[in-house]
Amino acid sequence: QEIAINRIKSITDGLRVFSRADDDNKSLVSLIESTKQSINLIKEIYDKENVKIKYHFNQNEDIHFLGNEGKFQQLLINLISNAKDATEGQTDRFIEIKITNNNNNSATITVSDNGQGIDEEMKNKIFNPFFTTKDPGKGTGMGLSIVHQFMNDLEGEIDLTSKKGKGTKFTLT
């Protein structure tokens, strides 16, 4: 019974996230709570695919930003989903998420994977609308351009570091 209740709660949280996705209203968003909700939405599915999600943040910290929670969660799930796709073919697949309070009115979120990595020539194109490295029919090329646009709306920055065959790390400040 407890498993069923937790499952229903997870589904309800997911519906709440996506029902807010088109809402442009800004509010004070808890970075850690919003991140935990996003991870909880997909963790069970990823576990079944043997993709481990590791996360590191201070549970006692209360980091907030003024923005749209639905869009933030969409952004985060998009980065995590891309990371999962990048780890395909690896024996030990993992995605790592870290939140750091920079104590200068900013915070940093990193989403890292141990996937294939991104070629140097692709790095400059990766945030362009409709650009995708995925096979036809597997990606629209909109995900990272949406992530980039959202970070611009927040007056934040997004950075990408990657080594071919070693993985990729997206850093959002």
Side-chain angles (χ1 to χ4, degrees):
Q1 187 178 17
E2 188 177 330
I3 293 171
I5 290 169
N6 287 334
R7 183 104 174 108
I8 290 168
K9 182 187 179 310
S10 191
I11 291 168
T12 304
D13 287 346
L15 291 172
R16 281 185 30 232
V17 168
F18 289 106
S19 69
R20 292 189 303 246
D22 292 333
D23 182 8
D24 275 334
N25 293 330
K26 291 184 177 182
S27 61
L28 209 53
V29 178
S30 169
L31 189 59
I32 291 175
E33 280 306 309
S34 193
T35 300
K36 286 195 306 193
Q37 284 177 7
S38 300
I39 292 168
N40 287 336
L41 281 173
I42 57 179
K43 188 166 179 22
E44 187 179 327
I45 295 165
Y46 282 40
D47 283 347
K48 286 181 181 174
E49 294 184 36
N50 292 318
V51 179
K52 301 295 176 228
I53 299 178
K54 304 172 184 180
Y55 48 95
H56 310 279
F57 36 81
N58 184 343
Q59 297 279 353
N60 299 322
E61 268 191 311
D62 202 14
I63 304 169
H64 289 82
F65 67 92
L66 187 62
N68 181 288
E69 185 172 30
K71 285 185 178 180
F72 169 73
Q73 288 180 320
Q74 222 177 12
L75 164 153
L76 190 58
I77 288 173
N78 202 324
L79 287 174
I80 295 169
S81 175
N82 282 352
K84 177 180 78 77
D85 292 346
T87 64
E88 221 169 277
Q90 302 288 60
T91 340
D92 182 29
R93 300 170 71 185
F94 74 85
I95 300 163
E96 191 169 26
I97 301 161
K98 291 182 183 178
I99 298 176
T100 308
N101 186 346
N102 299 332
N103 296 320
N104 62 355
N105 240 3
S106 73
T108 301
I109 304 170
T110 59
V111 178
S112 309
D113 65 62
N114 67 333
Q116 309 157 23
I118 300 170
D119 288 331
E120 279 299 317
E121 65 217 34
M122 303 277 187
K123 286 182 186 177
N124 296 332
K125 302 174 188 175
I126 206 88
F127 296 112
N128 294 347
F130 306 110
F131 179 80
T132 182
T133 59
K134 296 177 183 172
D135 293 335
K138 290 198 175 186
T140 62
M142 292 304 295
L144 289 176
S145 64
I146 290 169
V147 168
H148 189 261
Q149 181 59 49
F150 182 75
M151 289 306 294
N152 282 341
D153 292 348
L154 284 177
E155 296 177 18
E157 296 176 11
I158 184 166
D159 189 37
L160 157 71
T161 54
S162 185
K163 289 185 180 171
K164 197 73 179 144
K166 299 283 185 187
T168 300
K169 176 164 84 172
F170 286 92
T171 304
L172 296 86
T173 306

